[in-house]
Amino acid sequence: MTIWKVNGLELHLDIEDADTVERYEAALDRLEADVPKDKSEGAAAYIRAYCKAFRTLYNSLFGDGTAARIFADVPDNVRKYTAVYGDFLAFVSKQAAQSQAEMVQIRRKYLPKGGKR
């Protein structure tokens, strides 16, 4: 399962591909740096910066313009952007769990009893 379906889009992300993982890790590092730490500039400015950080994440991972397609009819709204991010993290987590389960199955099938070579 490498297709994330969001707001009518189908986006490919394979967390078992090294190039993809490099982009993913860099995008998460940038997200952490870009999300504002406080509301010292005001609540509205915080919300706009928060949402911009997530648009940057999706554009970095899936290509320029992706965030505009994901959030086409969504105003800058922390709750809505966070919900999309939660769905994205669930997708990544499910993909990682599936990959791990496949490896366990291979080990059970091909390694001798006790799991040692």
Side-chain angles (χ1 to χ4, degrees), residues 54-105:
F54 283 97
R55 288 192 300 270
T56 299
L57 170 80
Y58 299 120
N59 285 336
S60 296
L61 284 173
F62 301 109
D64 289 338
T66 303
R69 293 174 30 219
I70 292 172
F71 299 108
D73 297 322
V74 179
D76 285 350
N77 181 299
V78 170
R79 181 181 61 257
K80 292 178 180 182
Y81 274 66
T82 301
V84 170
Y85 186 56
D87 183 63
F88 173 70
L89 292 179
F91 160 76
V92 171
S93 178
K94 185 174 181 181
Q95 194 178 136
Q98 182 179 1
S99 175
Q100 186 175 19
E102 289 170 1
M103 184 57 75
V104 168
Q105 286 299 94

Side-chain angles (χ1 to χ4, degrees), residues 1 27 44-45 67 71 73 86 89 106-108:
M1 176 192 79
F71 299 108
D73 297 322
L89 292 179
I106 289 169
R107 286 182 180 143
R108 284 184 184 153

